[in-house]
Amino acid sequence: MSDFEQVEKRDGESVSVLHITDTHLFAAEDGTLLGIDTAESLNAVIDAVLSSGRSFDFVLCTGDLSQDYSTGSYERFARIIRRLGKPVYWLPGNHDDGPLMYRIMPGLGISTAREIRCGRWQFLMLNSQVYSAPCGYLAPDQLAFLRERLDRSDGLFSAVCLHHNVFHTESAWLDQHDLKNSDQFKSIIYHHGQVKLVLCGHIHQNLERELGGISYIATPSTSIQFAYGHNDFQLDRMGPGWRFIDFAPDGTFTSDLFRLPAESFSPNWFSGGY
Ligand SMILES: [Fe+2]
């Protein structure tokens, strides 16, 4: 099966992407994460996206689709995300079973493409999962894939997606689980001037940074939220989030972050971790 897909777009038009991340779904109908029904919160996000009337070309999901590593959780993801009626591209997070996902997603009607091209942009989906560990690492095959696809990007602009954060959240409990070989990663992307954006999940909060002409953006989870700047585990009262990003043909982009109302999905505030 090819790891490449082209999403058609008319010349000169911007590419609009919906970024959804860290859905943390369960196989069980009544599965909850720290008291939040994660299927219900994802459905509420999708309700809000659909009722906004905003058009988009495809969906990017940057990992932690599951919380229980089960086939049933991915079947649930496919059933819910299908409501959007758009192509969906994804990569594994630390709460996922990556090998299982690559095996079963095609049967659930979801692509396993790792390079998507649309308009003047190339989107690369990297797997930073370390099996059974919460931190991230890009193995040599992932770095080789990144370098190879950036080397022959045919003049397109590039957005690179992965689960783990490169920038810190000033939260020791969370930052210890960042991308461990971020220097290797950055040494590749900074040698390819067409890279404009690094998009991630994992930290369950909004983070927008810029370094050397590359933007680093993390989008809030569709489930629980983590607070910025706390050394110990700390939940945040903000609502589940999602992001639209419009990629212009000139290599610039604009990003709009949206959230459900604060405390629309209240977790168990006394949880000491997850
Ligand atoms: Fe997560």
Side-chain angles (χ1 to χ4, degrees):
M1 180 171 293
S2 167
D3 65 5
F4 171 81
E5 264 186 40
Q6 179 84 43
V7 178
E8 293 308 322
K9 195 78 203 170
R10 267 186 295 191
D11 275 356
E13 285 188 345
S14 290
V15 176
S16 185
V17 169
L18 169 63
H19 183 210
I20 277 181
T21 192
D22 295 83
T23 54
H24 289 269
L25 297 170
F26 296 84
E29 199 71 54
D30 56 354
T32 59
L33 178 60
L34 307 189
I36 286 187
D37 181 327
T38 52
E40 201 180 320
S41 61
L42 175 58
N43 269 310
V45 164
I46 289 179
D47 287 343
V49 167
L50 292 173
S51 64
S52 75
R54 184 153 171 168
S55 67
F56 54 96
D57 296 293
F58 56 89
V59 187
L60 293 176
C61 297
T62 48
D64 283 3
L65 276 49
S66 174
Q67 175 65 19
D68 64 4
Y69 309 94
S70 68
T71 297
S73 66
Y74 298 117
E75 291 169 346
R76 187 176 303 282
F77 174 80
R79 274 199 304 278
I80 297 175
I81 211 77
R82 195 176 295 139
R83 297 182 54 212
L84 291 167
K86 296 288 182 183
V88 175
Y89 304 101
W90 57 273
L91 48 81
N94 51 295
H95 286 277
D96 285 311
D97 184 333
L100 173 67
M101 295 168 87
Y102 288 108
R103 242 185 357 262
I104 67 173
M105 284 299 202
L108 299 174
I110 295 181
S111 168
T112 54
R114 296 191 297 152
E115 179 184 1
I116 303 100
R117 292 187 179 192
C118 186
R120 297 291 307 148
W121 286 80
Q122 171 197 51
F123 301 83
L124 299 176
M125 310 300 283
L126 301 182
N127 180 359
S128 58
Q129 182 186 30
V130 179
Y131 208 65
S132 80
C135 66
Y137 188 86
L138 290 167
D141 68 307
Q142 295 297 312
L143 295 173
F145 168 80
L146 174 65
R147 193 180 291 110
E148 181 223 339
R149 300 302 167 101
L150 290 177
D151 279 347
R152 46 184 192 82
S153 59
D154 300 321
L156 301 178
F157 300 105
S158 303
V160 181
C161 305
L162 75 170
H163 180 66
H164 292 84
N165 54 312
V166 175
F167 271 88
H168 282 175
T169 65
E170 309 307 328
S171 310
W173 77 273
L174 194 50
D175 290 337
Q176 66 181 320
H177 304 315
D178 64 351
L179 182 72
K180 290 304 170 198
N181 57 342
S182 60
D183 285 351
Q184 277 182 297
F185 172 63
K186 283 190 278 193
S187 78
I188 294 173
I189 60 176
Y190 281 102
H191 279 94
H192 294 83
Q194 78 270 28
V195 178
K196 303 299 178 190
L197 172 65
V198 174
L199 191 61
C200 77
H202 190 51
I203 56 176
H204 292 220
Q205 60 195 274
N206 178 41
L207 196 73
E208 300 178 30
R209 296 283 186 271
E210 194 273 338
L211 182 66
I214 298 179
S215 295
Y216 293 80
I217 291 182
T219 295
S221 162
T222 62
S223 59
I224 57 172
Q225 310 301 311
F226 301 147
Y228 180 89
H230 288 265
N231 275 338
D232 296 318
F233 180 83
Q234 180 71 48
L235 291 166
D236 194 288
R237 292 183 183 274
M238 283 191 271
W242 65 99
R243 188 187 299 275
F244 283 109
I245 309 175
D246 287 334
F247 297 88
D250 65 358
T252 61
F253 66 88
T254 55
S255 140
D256 294 313
L257 176 68
F258 296 88
R259 286 182 186 269
L260 296 178
E263 301 191 37
S264 51
F265 286 88
S266 278
N268 174 2
W269 299 113
F270 302 106
S271 306
Y274 87 120

